[in-house]
């Protein structure tokens, strides 16, 4: 059965992590070379967002001003939950995106990062109806949303908004059976609603490019010449109903590696699927805090400590040894979501009485406070 975007090649250029000359300056010349090689290899999907500093402007200069508009697809996003007090504030993000990108229209426009409290802004401001009218006017070709939360919330949104044409989900083999991310369960909800899927974070922010040694051994034994990242991207691209798999490429080397195995991508063989399953099982065996994100602890914590999110960040650090990514995860999911950091724990012990996994939460929170800046 055909679906939206089935003819788009299965590698998308994520413009969130573009190469930089310094902290605040995107390397436009290298970005141009990356755009050139991407298009020359037959790939056409570019993903950006109003919330990615400098990304839409860089895309305009490196892509829109240099190639015919009909030769590629552009996706960007609206984050109405970021500093928007009125509907006009949210719409201004959209009009700013049109101006910054110079795109004229967006092939795919996304309500960005729905889930939890973030969903409410799009409802309160009537943005579904507004963007549907923009679609009627031709400035949006396809309307959908990106999502980071539970399968239950995803099901609720899709029941309420069947007009959504696609969903963008975090899917990778590391999170496939994760209690916190629930990649597989969210994917299955989208497919139940017959929504095609755009995949983000297939390499989990780069973590699966350098997995634990036990995982790397399995992948290298099967295909010594293949990068670990290639296994992660191929796992995602192999799923049914996928429009494209976004890779946030930061340099030409990453792009060339991705192009090498995705230019003529075919579905995985049973043997390759077995390798990835073995890698997933090995990853799951790395000893981590056994938190299932049930959040019973959060219901009784008098200080609103971001317990499960803190543990998820510690587990990321244990698994992938990438402190920068783990700190970013902590900043976003603990502080960014309005929770208190581990250092504010008063050690009352109510959380431990509520924890079905019998985790020594107070002890673990001491480790979190010693590890991450709050």
């Amino acid at each position: 059965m055909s679906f939206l975007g089935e003819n788009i090649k299965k590698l998308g250029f994520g413009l969130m992590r573009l190469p930089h000359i310094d902290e605040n300056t995107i390397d436009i010349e290298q970005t141009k070379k990356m755009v050139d090689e991407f298009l020359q290899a037959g790939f056409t999907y570019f993903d950006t967002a109003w919330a990615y500093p400098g990304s839409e402007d860089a895309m305009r200069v490196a892509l829109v001003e240099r190639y015919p508009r009909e030769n590629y697809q552009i996706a960007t996003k609206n984050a109405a939950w970021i500093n928007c007090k009125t509907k006009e504030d949210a719409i201004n993000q959209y009009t700013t995106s049109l101006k910054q990108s110079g795109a004229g229209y967006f092939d795919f426009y996304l309500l960005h990062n729905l889930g939890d409290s973030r969903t409410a802004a799009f409802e309160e401001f009537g943005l579904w109806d507004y963007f549907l009218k923009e679609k009627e006017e031709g400035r949006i070709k396809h309307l959908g949303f990106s999502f980071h939360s539970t399968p239950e919330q995803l099901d609720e949104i899709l029941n309420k908004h069947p007009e959504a044409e696609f969903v963008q989900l975090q899917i990778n083999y590391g999170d496939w059976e994760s209690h916190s991310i629930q990649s597989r369960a969210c994917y299955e909800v989208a497919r139940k609603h017959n929504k095609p899927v755009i995949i983000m974070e297939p390499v989990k922010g780069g973590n699966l490019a350098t997995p634990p040694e036990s995982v790397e051994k399995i992948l290298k034994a099967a295909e010594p010449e293949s990068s670990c990242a290639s296994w992660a991207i191929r796992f995602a691209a192999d799923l049914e109903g996928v429009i494209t798999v976004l890779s946030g490429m930061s340099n030409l080397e990453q792009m060339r590696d991705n192009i090498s195995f995705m230019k003529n991508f075919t579905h995985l063989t049973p043997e390759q699927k077995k390798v990835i399953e073995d890698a997933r099982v090995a990853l799951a065996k790395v000893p981590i805090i056994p938190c299932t994100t049930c959040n019973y602890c959060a219901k009784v914590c008098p200080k609103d400590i971001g317990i499960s999110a803190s543990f998820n960040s510690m587990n990321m650090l244990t698994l992938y040894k990438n402190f920068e990514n783990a700190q970013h995860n902590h900043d976003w999911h603990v502080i960014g979501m309005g929770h208190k950091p581990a250092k504010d724990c008063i050690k009352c012990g109510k959380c431990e009485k509520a924890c079905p996994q019998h985790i020594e939460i107070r002890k673990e929170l001491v480790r979190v406070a010693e590890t991450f800046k709050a």
Side-chain angles (χ1 to χ4, degrees), residues 13 66 72 92-93 122 141 168 210 223 239 245 259-260 268 281 288 297 301 304 307 343 348 361:
F13 190 169
R66 299 173 64 238
Y72 49 84
N92 185 57
Q93 285 189 18
F122 300 98
K141 301 299 182 184
Q168 184 163 306
T210 55
E223 293 181 9
L239 296 170
V245 178
I259 287 173
S260 71
L268 297 173
V281 170
I288 58 176
C297 56
C301 178
D304 189 25
I307 298 172
K343 68 180 180 62
C348 66
I361 294 176

Side-chain angles (χ1 to χ4, degrees), residues 16-17 44 58 61 82 142 152 156 159 162 172 194 203 226 265 282 310 342 357:
M16 183 181 183
R17 301 181 176 94
T44 58
V61 176
I82 298 180
H142 303 290
E152 291 79 14
E156 181 181 346
N159 279 323
N172 57 71
N194 294 315
V203 194
S226 296
F265 175 75
S310 295
Q357 306 302 319

Side-chain angles (χ1 to χ4, degrees), residues 89-162:
D89 289 339
I91 291 173
N92 185 57
Q93 285 189 18
Y94 168 67
T95 55
T96 298
S97 289
L98 283 169
K99 181 179 179 181
Q100 289 181 160
S101 68
Y105 63 91
F106 298 122
D107 300 273
F108 293 81
Y109 195 71
L110 294 85
L111 309 187
H112 188 31
N113 198 8
L114 271 64
D116 301 318
S117 61
R118 301 178 299 278
T119 304
F122 300 98
E123 303 291 344
E124 293 169 5
F125 297 150
L127 294 179
W128 284 97
D129 289 338
Y130 176 83
F131 291 126
L132 283 172
K133 289 179 180 177
E134 287 298 291
K135 183 182 172 186
E136 291 175 4
E137 295 292 328
R139 286 180 286 273
I140 292 172
K141 301 299 182 184
H142 303 290
L143 181 65
F145 62 94
S146 61
F147 181 82
H148 285 281
S149 195
T150 66
E152 291 79 14
Q153 287 186 33
L154 179 58
D155 192 50
E156 181 181 346
I157 292 170
L158 288 173
N159 279 323
K160 188 171 184 178
H161 292 287

